[in-house]
Amino acid sequence: AQTVTQSQPEMSVQEAETVTLSCTYDTSESNYYLFWYKQPPSRQMILVIRQEAYKQQNATENRFSVNFQKAAKSFSLKISDSQLGDTAMYFCAYLLIQEAQKLVFGQGTRLTINP
Amino acid sequence: DVKVTQSSRYLVKRTGEKVFLECVQDMDHENMFWYRQDPGLGLRLIYFSYDVKMKEKGDIPEGYSVSREKKERFSLILESASTNQTSMYLCASSPAGTGRINEQFFGPGTRLTVL
């Protein structure tokens, strides 16, 4: 079975700093997607960024970018110029294409941005 | 904007009660999902549905059932609630794939406490 591991339960940085959240996953498959989801306090979970495993280029979305190392099965999220609104739980998730919509989530990292 | 709503934000029930959690989406999505979120465990898939009256078990279906009589509504049922079902329950929806993996949109969650 596929597993996703986020080894940092909590992180805290100062506003405007850059922070990197770690994620590793275990799979023997080659066709899959990886996602980072954000869950702000008392608000709905939203998608931050996605990466298709067959693409070598790392995905970016404004201040958010990923470092996708397929051989190492690593998928870290970098947040540049962090803002107070980035305070949230962040979940890494894996999806095997053959299993359609079955997302497998990591344990989550609670990120706090301090003023 | 996609909107996924859940019937209650907070719910308190007693052991042995039958509990219904309702989820409604307004974007005509084919796929709907129920997850439970527990600290240190992330999100785990309970059931999902890819069409009206269709359902598939996720990773932790024991003690739960679901109903999807209309496309926009997906209900999670706890036939006889137990204290170990105290958790946050998240509903999500996504459109059917058309050659790509689609984003899941989440509801605000229902925090269920079973006494």
Side-chain angles (χ1 to χ4, degrees), chain A residues 33 39 44 50 101 106-107, chain B residues 33 37 40 42 101 104 106 108:
Chain A
Y33 281 64
Q39 186 181 40
Q44 288 167 246
R50 89 174 80 195
Q101 308 288 336
Q107 303 91 328
Chain B
F33 309 83
Q37 180 180 356
I101 298 299
Q104 291 188 20
F106 285 81

Side-chain angles (χ1 to χ4, degrees), chain B residues 3 7 11 15 31-33 35 37-38 45-46 50-51 54 59 74 80 83-84 91 93 100 111:
Chain B
K3 194 163 185 182
S7 49
L11 206 55
T15 303
N31 303 315
M32 296 189 75
F33 309 83
Y35 296 91
Q37 180 180 356
D38 299 290
L45 181 64
I46 304 172
Y50 52 88
D51 202 351
M54 305 300 288
D59 298 317
F74 192 36
S80 177
T83 54
N84 63 12
C91 176
S93 73
R100 66 186 295 270
R111 186 167 295 281

Side-chain angles (χ1 to χ4, degrees), chain B residues 16-50:
Chain B
E17 281 192 74
K18 189 169 186 176
V19 181
F20 292 86
L21 302 183
E22 306 285 344
C23 175
V24 177
Q25 50 94 4
D26 66 358
M27 285 301 291
D28 202 35
H29 286 171
E30 287 76 14
N31 303 315
M32 296 189 75
F33 309 83
W34 276 106
Y35 296 91
R36 64 176 283 175
Q37 180 180 356
D38 299 290
L41 296 178
L43 279 73
R44 292 176 292 166
L45 181 64
I46 304 172
Y47 268 96
F48 69 101
S49 168
Y50 52 88

Side-chain angles (χ1 to χ4, degrees), chain A residues 1-2 4 6 9 32-33 35 37-39 41-48 50 52 54 89 91-92 95-108 110, chain B residues 2-5 9-10 31 33 35 37-45 48 56-59 88 90 94-97 99-109:
Chain A
Q2 289 78 26
V4 178
Q6 294 178 247
Y32 53 88
Y33 281 64
F35 304 84
Y37 276 86
K38 170 186 178 181
Q39 186 181 40
S42 302
R43 292 178 60 189
Q44 288 167 246
M45 182 110 66
I46 57 173
L47 179 66
V48 175
R50 89 174 80 195
E52 290 91 337
Y54 65 88
M89 281 289 290
F91 292 97
C92 178
L95 186 145
L96 181 63
I97 291 175
Q98 293 98 299
E99 293 192 352
Q101 308 288 336
K102 293 180 71 174
L103 279 171
V104 177
F105 285 86
Q107 303 91 328
R110 184 177 301 279
Chain B
V2 173
K3 194 163 185 182
V4 181
T5 57
R9 290 300 301 270
Y10 300 94
N31 303 315
F33 309 83
Y35 296 91
Q37 180 180 356
D38 299 290
L41 296 178
L43 279 73
R44 292 176 292 166
L45 181 64
F48 69 101
E56 285 202 25
K57 293 180 180 179
D59 298 317
M88 171 71 87
L90 295 177
S94 70
R100 66 186 295 270
I101 298 299
N102 293 304
E103 174 186 352
Q104 291 188 20
F105 295 87
F106 285 81

Side-chain angles (χ1 to χ4, degrees), chain A residues 53-104:
Chain A
Y54 65 88
K55 289 187 176 179
Q56 291 187 328
Q57 187 172 5
N58 289 324
T60 63
E61 288 286 342
N62 300 314
R63 297 182 295 107
F64 298 87
S65 61
V66 298
N67 183 4
F68 174 47
Q69 302 286 330
K70 191 171 185 179
K73 297 178 184 175
S74 171
F75 182 61
S76 59
L77 175 69
K78 186 172 84 170
I79 305 174
S80 303
D81 186 26
S82 59
Q83 301 174 358
L84 297 179
D86 295 332
T87 292
M89 281 289 290
Y90 287 82
F91 292 97
C92 178
Y94 163 100
L95 186 145
L96 181 63
I97 291 175
Q98 293 98 299
E99 293 192 352
Q101 308 288 336
K102 293 180 71 174
L103 279 171
V104 177

